[in-house]
Amino acid sequence: MFTELNSILNTSPDKITQGELIVISERRCDASFLIHHFLSFYLRARCKVCFLGLVQSFSHYSAVSQRLGVSLVQAKEKGQLVFLEGLQESIAHLIPHEGKAGSDALNFIRDPTRGLQSLFELVRDSCGGPAAALGPEEEWGAPVLLVDDLSVLLSLGVSVGAVLDFSHYCRATVCSQLQGNVVTLVHCEEEEDDADDEGAEQLLRGLTHQCTLTLQVQGLPTGYCRDIHGQMEVCWTRRQPDGQQRLKKLFQYKVYDKGASFFARGTSSAVL
Amino acid sequence: MADIRTIGVGNPGVKSSSFNSTSFQKKTRSKLLSIPGTRPSVQNGQLLVSTGVTSLDFLLGGGLAVGAVLLIEEDRYDSYSRMILKYFLAEGVVCQHELFLASAQDSPDDILKELPSPIMDDVAIPKPMEQPRLSSDPQDSLEAMKIAWRYQNLPKVQSTLTSSSRFGHYYDVSKTMEAEIQQAAKCHRFYLPDHPNQTAPTHSPMLESYSALLKSLQEVIQKEGFEVSKSRNILRIGLHSLGSSLWGDDLCCCDNPKHAHALTTFLYGLRALLRSSLAVAVVTVPSHLIQNRALMGRIAKLCDTAIALESFKGSEMETNPLYKDYHGLLHVRQVPHLNCLASQFPDHRDLAFKLKRKQFSIERLHLPPDLSETVSRVSRVELPGAASTASVCGLSTSANKHLDF
């Protein structure tokens, strides 16, 4: 959990906004530190978290969360965290053996034209599980779905329409029905006008249209810098009726071993 | 990711220091996993292996992480990327790791015959300044030295490589590895023409060639026991020229390939296999043939570390005096951050490499000092490539004695 980011987004573990769809888009850089932030933030806020970790192993997330002060293993044992380890489950689908079926949630790997229905069913069952399933002493808060990352589904052959359908279903269930939050990460390659990366751009545009908050992360336009790892543009798309629509803020960031710091442009500690 | 953080860095002198200046020793945990040819990273305790090229190890933050994939974007004639692949395999032979080599173009046996020969004499030469240590085998008959008795207790010179605990070795490119050493290493081969197409009716986006390769990899990992819980050795996987047409893929031939997701699905499966086993993979891809830059970006994203080689052979940069000392440019596209939040990019991004006889050296590209007497405004050369961060540079090639008044 990055305290500076909490103050930028005006949230804290005690007071979280509900019904939000947060889209993190990374353009030719790596914004997974934000996913780690949201994971530890929502676990601290005592929400029920469903995490689709499709690109890294569980031990990677666990090691990083340990540094941020949250134990994923304990959260899993207590039932607060439902973790889908994409890499491990996918082996059974990629190398089919007779007799061993593998979990259903990833059966789109065998046949991408099927769509992501089974994956959605996993999300729905873990987020919307009845309260009686939890122990009597633990009462978790609103459900949260975290996806890392959505564009790897495109690399596995799933069509953009199917991924947009999946995100729409998740949003309808988790955000509207269950008053929870959804955080997804989308990776794009080239600049916006390039025709090469049609799929990911379409996906990003579709998601940005539906979302309440976007965090657009990209490298510095002037190139690589050791002290400033990139810039992040925070854009609120929907606000309360009394607030403003479409508020945008631009920050630069630097990722450390145990956190990240965000600062206004030109105020990096290396410069001042 | 294989969580090998149970290796306590028991001996802080892992890298150097024959002087034990402090008596500080970290408490080692009971489960110590010490495999020859590996060492824990100083940044996050991850297990690293050497790529065979010491300067590349330094660039990648100490070595290649076990469980990770290194992607090498090939240079135009696949000469230097193939060289790095051979260094990688040769390092595996020297450290007694097991090898897995897959290729569609040349037979794996041919590639294995061409491995460079390791240089033996930079191993364990005892320095007289070292504190006397017990000799390695106490059963040796201690012939009492009469004249050089001060050297009695120093370890004997070891010319065999098996007891070498060095990380990273040097190789002599002009000689090939001797057959006995190379055959002593266990190597699994996958030569695509030996695996005829079994038409399995699937809707999977992966091609049959890649499926067969993935299946063969999984078999080797399971049969030879490279899973994290059971393994005592590392498996080095070398995959040559994936994505080329010889694998049946049309990534390199078409602008809108039909099998656009075959290689990315395969790389996802490779990552899945590697994360749960003690193996390292080096994959070379002919990226200069792939027109779709976004697709190349996706391929790089699915691999952990990615570097690209650009050789000067046959291009106009060969005659450029700035590059006369080097054979090509090296671009670091991606550096992983496994089990930690931030990745360590190398500080300098303008890198050039040079293949010398005994070393593949990677150096920072910098402009030589302008030593001419006049400011050579006339002879300005536009520099292509990564080194053109400054817009135009002057080169002191010919001493233009222009007296500007």
Side-chain angles (χ1 to χ4, degrees):
Chain A
M1 189 175 77
F2 309 149
T3 42
E4 286 180 19
L5 188 56
N6 281 344
S7 59
I8 291 174
L9 297 178
N10 211 9
T11 55
S12 77
D14 312 315
K15 165 189 80 123
I16 55 169
T17 46
Q18 289 183 300
E20 295 225 332
L21 169 61
I22 302 175
V23 174
I24 305 171
S25 84
E26 56 181 23
R27 200 170 282 283
R28 286 193 294 176
C29 64
D30 193 9
S32 51
F33 65 98
L34 290 172
I35 285 280
H36 293 296
H37 157 80
F38 281 113
L39 178 60
S40 56
F41 174 74
Y42 283 117
L43 282 175
R44 285 238 180 109
R46 298 179 57 81
C47 294
K48 182 143 199 289
V49 177
C50 173
F51 190 91
L52 303 182
L54 300 173
V55 283
Q56 297 282 8
S57 61
F58 177 71
S59 49
H60 166 80
Y61 294 112
S62 177
V64 181
S65 301
Q66 198 80 33
R67 287 185 201 217
L68 297 178
V70 170
S71 167
L72 289 195
V73 177
Q74 269 181 13
K76 223 164 129 178
E77 280 167 15
K78 286 193 282 188
Q80 190 188 8
L81 171 68
V82 174
F83 192 96
L84 172 71
E85 190 170 352
L87 288 174
Q88 208 176 10
E89 308 281 335
S90 66
I91 297 181
H93 294 280
L94 287 167
I95 311 172
H97 287 289
E98 305 84 30
K100 290 195 224 170
S103 86
D104 261 345
L106 294 178
N107 59 8
F108 64 86
I109 293 183
R110 252 194 264 247
D111 182 10
T113 52
R114 260 188 187 177
L116 299 168
Q117 192 169 355
S118 330
L119 192 60
F120 167 67
E121 278 163 18
L122 172 82
V123 170
R124 188 189 54 198
D125 294 336
S126 47
C127 284
L134 309 164
E137 68 279 356
E138 303 281 14
E139 180 66 40
W140 302 119
V144 174
L145 170 66
L146 286 154
V147 185
D148 180 22
D149 70 69
L150 215 50
S151 34
V152 83
L153 297 173
L154 297 176
S155 298
L156 289 171
V158 184
S159 70
V160 179
V163 181
L164 282 173
D165 286 343
F166 168 75
S167 71
H168 176 74
Y169 269 79
C170 287
R171 182 173 147 250
T173 313
V174 178
C175 294
S176 311
Q177 213 175 13
L178 300 168
Q179 288 298 306
N181 293 347
V182 176
V183 181
T184 66
L185 178 69
V186 181
H187 176 85
C188 299
E189 275 303 317
E190 297 295 319
E191 293 311 312
E192 294 204 23
D193 310 324
D194 218 330
D196 271 348
D197 200 10
E198 286 279 334
E201 287 297 330
Q202 252 183 311
L203 178 61
L204 182 61
R205 274 190 291 236
L207 282 175
T208 322
H209 176 75
Q210 301 174 0
C211 71
T212 55
L213 171 67
T214 55
L215 301 169
Q216 289 164 2
V217 181
Q218 59 192 68
L220 291 180
T222 43
Y224 168 70
C225 170
R226 201 175 9 156
D227 299 305
I228 304 173
H229 290 161
Q231 71 183 30
M232 179 181 78
E233 188 174 344
V234 185
C235 182
W236 285 269
T237 50
R238 257 158 250 171
R239 292 281 249 163
Q240 268 61 6
D242 54 307
Q244 305 133 316
Q245 298 280 66
R246 295 224 134 231
L247 185 66
K248 274 198 195 190
K249 281 193 193 171
L250 187 66
F251 295 94
Q252 291 177 338
Y253 67 88
K254 180 171 179 183
V255 184
Y256 295 98
D257 197 34
K258 291 201 172 182
S261 71
F262 298 84
F263 37 86
R265 264 189 300 188
T267 59
S268 156
S269 55
V271 168
L272 290 178
Chain B
M1 182 66 212
D3 193 5
I4 318 280
R5 283 147 92 237
T6 50
I7 298 176
V9 184
N11 180 5
V14 144
K15 274 199 251 167
S16 63
S17 121
S18 43
F19 323 94
N20 269 338
S21 48
T22 63
S23 56
F24 166 75
Q25 291 228 335
K26 255 196 195 168
K27 268 193 276 215
T28 65
R29 305 202 202 163
S30 48
K31 295 188 281 174
L32 256 187
L33 199 62
S34 62
I35 304 173
T38 65
R39 70 169 176 192
S41 153
V42 287
Q43 277 122 13
N44 48 15
Q46 202 146 48
L47 196 58
L48 299 177
V49 294
S50 169
T51 52
V53 180
T54 34
S55 36
L56 188 59
D57 286 341
F58 175 71
L59 208 60
L60 299 179
L64 207 50
V66 173
V69 181
L70 168 66
L71 172 75
I72 303 179
E73 297 186 25
E74 291 175 8
D75 53 306
R76 196 170 286 270
Y77 304 107
D78 190 24
S79 36
Y80 299 105
S81 44
R82 202 181 153 109
M83 198 66 234
I84 297 187
L85 187 66
K86 285 191 282 188
Y87 272 117
F88 177 71
L89 295 169
E91 182 72 23
V93 172
V94 166
C95 298
Q96 295 182 315
H97 298 159
E98 282 193 33
L99 307 179
F100 182 104
L101 180 56
S103 162
Q105 187 180 346
D106 301 310
S107 154
D109 290 317
D110 292 341
I111 300 181
L112 287 171
K113 283 201 198 97
E114 294 171 8
L115 295 183
S117 139
I119 299 175
M120 303 253 213
D121 46 38
D122 58 88
V123 171
I125 299 177
K127 300 183 204 134
M129 293 292 290
E130 260 180 319
Q131 293 175 15
R133 284 199 217 122
L134 294 171
S135 70
S136 45
D137 9 45
Q139 294 106 2
D140 266 1
S141 59
L142 294 166
E143 295 168 341
M145 294 185 182
K146 294 211 174 60
I147 298 174
W149 50 272
R150 285 227 182 258
Y151 297 97
Q152 178 85 50
N153 291 332
L154 293 175
K156 297 189 170 51
V157 174
Q158 296 157 335
S159 57
T160 59
L161 289 168
T162 49
S163 44
S164 157
S165 57
R166 246 184 97 99
F167 190 78
H169 299 86
Y170 291 101
Y171 298 90
D172 188 344
V173 177
S174 56
K175 297 186 247 174
T176 54
M177 196 181 262
E178 284 149 21
E180 310 85 65
I181 308 181
Q182 186 248 300
Q183 271 147 24
K186 198 160 173 199
C187 182
H188 307 273
R189 296 157 175 82
F190 182 97
Y191 186 38
L192 188 64
D194 293 338
H195 295 255
N197 274 345
Q198 295 116 5
T199 49
T202 68
H203 303 275
S204 164
M206 208 162 39
L207 290 169
E208 283 128 19
S209 49
Y210 294 143
S211 306
L213 177 56
L214 207 58
K215 193 160 180 191
S216 165
L217 266 172
Q218 191 192 37
E219 274 169 18
V220 168
I221 289 178
Q222 279 174 351
K223 269 198 214 129
E224 308 290 326
F226 282 107
E227 279 124 5
V228 177
S229 42
K230 310 182 207 159
S231 178
R232 303 292 302 168
N233 202 356
I234 306 267
L235 176 67
R236 287 188 182 230
I237 302 171
L239 305 176
H240 181 246
S241 227
L242 281 188
S244 73
S245 323
L246 290 169
W247 286 94
D249 208 344
D250 60 351
L251 270 184
C252 298
C253 330
C254 313
D255 272 346
N256 286 324
K258 231 179 355 161
H259 305 293
H261 304 290
L263 184 56
T264 45
T265 314
F266 169 77
L267 287 173
Y268 189 78
L270 180 66
R271 182 187 260 210
L273 278 180
L274 252 49
R275 290 287 198 264
S276 56
S277 56
L278 281 182
V280 201
V282 168
V283 176
T284 70
V285 170
S287 69
H288 53 96
L289 297 173
I290 297 179
Q291 303 301 322
N292 192 335
R293 299 316 305 165
L295 187 54
M296 199 56 229
R298 293 205 172 283
I299 292 172
K301 187 97 169 87
L302 281 169
C303 300
D304 300 294
T305 323
I307 62 174
L309 296 174
E310 187 187 331
S311 93
F312 296 146
K313 244 194 268 188
S315 78
E316 72 246 3
M317 296 196 271
E318 202 170 5
T319 49
N320 190 326
L322 178 68
Y323 298 137
K324 68 173 160 33
D325 290 329
Y326 301 108
H327 288 137
L329 297 176
L330 186 137
H331 310 281
V332 178
R333 299 262 192 246
Q334 190 172 272
V335 175
H337 58 98
L338 297 164
N339 294 341
C340 60
L341 207 53
S343 54
Q344 280 86 23
F345 255 103
D347 278 344
H348 311 294
R349 305 275 253 164
D350 305 319
L351 301 160
F353 65 84
K354 182 162 137 181
L355 179 60
K356 299 191 275 214
R357 199 183 122 220
K358 293 203 176 176
Q359 197 187 10
F360 185 99
S361 66
I362 300 172
E363 290 161 25
R364 184 178 168 204
L365 187 65
H366 60 276
L367 296 175
D370 193 3
L371 291 173
S372 75
E373 286 165 8
T374 66
V375 175
S376 45
R377 270 188 283 258
V378 180
S379 58
R380 282 185 168 185
V381 176
E382 193 83 40
L383 286 176
S388 60
T389 43
S391 48
V392 183
C393 321
L395 289 184
S396 56
T397 45
S398 55
N400 275 337
K401 299 260 190 268
H402 262 72
L403 292 173
D404 292 329
F405 283 113

